[in-house]
Amino acid sequence: MGSINKQHMTIHWKHIVKDDDSVPSTEATLKEKATLVGRIGQMMLSVGTGAWRVRNSMNEVARTLGISCTADIGLLSIEFTCYEESGTYTHSIALPTTGVNTDKLNALEAFMREFPEMATQISAKQIHLVLDEIQKKPANYKAWNLGLASAIACCAFTFLLGGGPMEMICAFFGAGVGNFVRKLMLQKKISLLGNVAVSVAASCVTYVLTILLAQTIFGVSEVHQAGYICAMLFVIPGFPLITGGIDLAKLDIRSGLERITYALLIILTATMTGWVTALVCRFQPADFVALQIDTGMMIILRIITSFFGVYGFSLMFNSPRKMAMTAGLIGMFANTLRLELIDLAHFPVGIAAFIGAFFTGCVASIVKKKIGYPRISLTVPAIVIMVPGLYMYRGIYYIGLNEIGDGSLWLTKAILIVMALPMGLVAARLCTDKNFRHCT
C-alpha cells in the first residue's frame, strides 16, 4: 500500500506518531519513521545548509530506521518518499522563507551524531520532543547586536577594499543602521525584496549623512564619498551563493539553480537600490585614495581586519561567539593569503580566490574533526568577505548609465571570483571528505 501526505510548514507529527514510549523508533510504523525523516530534512533546509547535506541527513535517518528514501530538494521545499516492504509514504513540505542559523545547524549535526543510538532506545515521539527543543532555540542576538556585528564587519571590509579611516567610520554607521533596520523588518516578516531594498537604502543614506556631517564640521574631503558602497555589503548573500555552487558540483541542479537565483535577486535588488541612492545623492564610484602603509604593516592590518570582518559576518549568521571566533581565525589567514597573492605575487583575482577558499575548506575540515563545528558554519563566514560586492555594484552602476564596457568588465571580474570560491571549497571537500568525494 502507498499513501501520500502533503505537509506545509511544520510537520504535524503529533497527529501521526503514537503516544507509546515503549516502542523504539526502529520498530515504529512507516508513517512515523517518515515523519522523522521529513522533519530532519525540513529543519536542515530551514537553517540554510545545502541540498546535499539535507539529503545526506535524510538518508542517514532512513537507513538507521530500516527504510529507504528518495527526495527532491529545492530552496524552500522538499518532496520525498519513504519505502519499506509494507508500502510507501510520501510527504511534500514547504518553508515560508529561507535563512541562515549556524547555531541550530550545529545542534542538528550533534543530534545526527547521536541519532543511531537514540533510535534503538527511545520512541519516535521522544525523538520529536528532542527536535522540538532544537527548533525552539531562540536567536542568540537581538537587532542591535546584529546591527553592531554588521557595523564591525563592514568597517573591516572597507579597509580590505582599500578605504581609509574616514570611509571605515562612515561605513560603520551606515551598515549598523542598515542591518538593524533589516532585522526589524525580518521580525515583522516583510518580504525579501522589501527588506533588502529598505535596509540598503537606510545604510546608504546613513553613510551619506555621516560623510556630509563630517564635511561640514571637520572639512573632510569629498573623495571619501567613494566608500559609501561598503555600507551595504552586509546584504551579500554568501550562504546561498556558496551552497548553490556546492549543490551544482554534487549535481543537485534544482537546488543549486534556485539558490543562485535567490542570491542574484538579492544582489540585483541591493545594487539597484544603491545605484538609485547614488544618483539622488550625486555620488559615483571612485577608487579609494591610496593608503601610505608599508608592506609589513599592511599585512598585519589585513590580518586584524579580516578577523573582525569574518567575526562580524559569523555573528550575523547567529553563530555562538566561540564559533564566530573560530571562523574569524580561519578567515583572517585565508583572506590575507588571497590579498597578498594578488598584491605581491600578482595572481589573477580568480585564482587567488580559489586558493583562499581551498585553504579555508582544508582548515575547516581539520577544525571539524577536532571541535565538531559544521564545516559550512566556518567556511562560508570565512570566505563571504571574499565575495566581490564592490565589483557587483560597480558593474550594475555603469550598466545603468549605459556604459556597457565598464559595467561588463566589473561584472566579469565578479563572476570569476564568485565561481572560484565554491570551486575552492568543493576541491577542499574532495580532498578531505571521502563521503563527499564519492557518488552516494
Side-chain angles (χ1 to χ4, degrees), residues 208-321:
V208 170
L209 294 176
T210 305
I211 198 69
L212 290 178
L213 186 63
Q215 290 175 9
T216 303
I217 297 176
F218 303 108
V220 173
S221 170
E222 290 186 359
V223 298
H224 298 299
Q225 295 178 357
Y228 83 97
I229 190 60
C230 300
M232 56 175 273
L233 295 179
F234 62 89
V235 300
I236 291 176
F239 251 85
L241 276 177
I242 303 306
T243 55
I246 293 173
D247 283 345
L248 290 178
K250 292 296 291 183
L251 299 182
D252 278 307
I253 306 298
R254 175 192 169 191
S255 176
L257 293 178
E258 288 184 11
R259 287 172 184 276
I260 290 174
T261 301
Y262 167 78
L264 291 177
L265 279 174
I266 295 176
I267 292 169
L268 183 61
T269 303
T271 52
M272 290 296 291
T273 303
W275 172 55
V276 171
T277 305
L279 291 180
V280 172
C281 300
R282 298 183 180 180
F283 276 25
Q284 59 183 3
D287 293 330
F288 291 106
V289 177
L291 300 175
Q292 302 302 316
I293 303 175
D294 62 67
T295 302
M297 180 56 67
M298 178 63 77
I299 292 174
I300 293 172
L301 292 176
R302 281 176 170 174
I303 289 174
I304 295 171
T305 51
S306 293
F307 171 82
F308 282 105
V310 175
Y311 180 76
F313 276 117
S314 191
L315 293 180
M316 290 163 58
F317 298 142
N318 199 47
S319 297
R321 296 189 187 279

Side-chain angles (χ1 to χ4, degrees), residues 143-144 146-152 154 170-182 203 206 231 234:
W144 73 267
L146 295 176
L148 181 59
S150 172
I152 292 171
C154 290
C170 295
F172 179 91
F173 288 108
V177 171
N179 202 39
F180 176 76
V181 170
R182 184 183 183 210
S203 66
T206 301
F234 62 89

Side-chain angles (χ1 to χ4, degrees), residues 24 53 118 128 143 146 158 215 240 257 267 273 286 327 349 356 402 413:
R53 188 69 185 93
M118 294 170 57
H128 276 294
L146 295 176
T158 303
Q215 290 175 9
L257 293 178
I267 292 169
T273 303
V349 291
N402 291 325
K413 290 181 178 180

Side-chain angles (χ1 to χ4, degrees), residues 44-309:
M44 281 286 187
L45 189 65
S46 69
V47 298
T49 194
W52 178 82
R53 188 69 185 93
V54 174
R55 180 178 287 104
N56 191 55
S57 298
M58 295 174 71
N59 285 334
E60 286 182 19
V61 172
R63 283 194 296 270
T64 301
L65 297 176
I67 60 177
S68 299
C69 172
T70 61
D72 183 22
I73 302 168
L75 177 66
L76 295 175
S77 63
I78 303 175
E79 293 81 36
F80 72 99
T81 301
C82 291
Y83 305 83
E84 68 175 7
E85 292 182 0
S86 61
T88 65
Y89 194 70
T90 298
H91 277 272
S92 178
I93 307 167
L95 300 175
T97 186
T98 185
V100 179
N101 191 323
T102 54
D103 190 25
K104 284 188 178 180
L105 176 57
N106 188 42
L108 286 169
E109 292 217 349
F111 169 86
M112 288 300 303
R113 290 192 292 270
E114 298 173 1
F115 182 78
E117 183 179 352
M118 294 170 57
T120 60
Q121 296 179 356
I122 63 176
S123 66
K125 173 189 172 183
Q126 290 171 314
I127 292 180
H128 276 294
L129 293 175
V130 173
L131 292 173
D132 280 347
E133 293 301 313
I134 297 175
Q135 193 164 18
K136 293 175 182 176
K137 288 191 71 172
N140 291 326
Y141 310 107
K142 297 181 180 179
W144 73 267
N145 297 122
L146 295 176
L148 181 59
S150 172
I152 292 171
C154 290
C155 176
F157 213 153
T158 303
F159 176 81
L160 295 169
L161 291 171
M166 183 52 62
E167 290 91 349
M168 293 170 68
I169 292 171
C170 295
F172 179 91
F173 288 108
V177 171
N179 202 39
F180 176 76
V181 170
R182 184 183 183 210
K183 179 61 177 178
L184 293 180
M185 297 184 73
L186 287 172
Q187 291 174 352
K188 299 291 185 181
K189 295 181 170 48
I190 303 300
S191 64
L192 171 69
L193 300 186
N195 77 58
V196 170
V198 173
S199 60
V200 168
S203 66
C204 291
V205 169
T206 301
Y207 186 99
V208 170
L209 294 176
T210 305
I211 198 69
L212 290 178
L213 186 63
Q215 290 175 9
T216 303
I217 297 176
F218 303 108
V220 173
S221 170
E222 290 186 359
V223 298
H224 298 299
Q225 295 178 357
Y228 83 97
I229 190 60
C230 300
M232 56 175 273
L233 295 179
F234 62 89
V235 300
I236 291 176
F239 251 85
L241 276 177
I242 303 306
T243 55
I246 293 173
D247 283 345
L248 290 178
K250 292 296 291 183
L251 299 182
D252 278 307
I253 306 298
R254 175 192 169 191
S255 176
L257 293 178
E258 288 184 11
R259 287 172 184 276
I260 290 174
T261 301
Y262 167 78
L264 291 177
L265 279 174
I266 295 176
I267 292 169
L268 183 61
T269 303
T271 52
M272 290 296 291
T273 303
W275 172 55
V276 171
T277 305
L279 291 180
V280 172
C281 300
R282 298 183 180 180
F283 276 25
Q284 59 183 3
D287 293 330
F288 291 106
V289 177
L291 300 175
Q292 302 302 316
I293 303 175
D294 62 67
T295 302
M297 180 56 67
M298 178 63 77
I299 292 174
I300 293 172
L301 292 176
R302 281 176 170 174
I303 289 174
I304 295 171
T305 51
S306 293
F307 171 82
F308 282 105

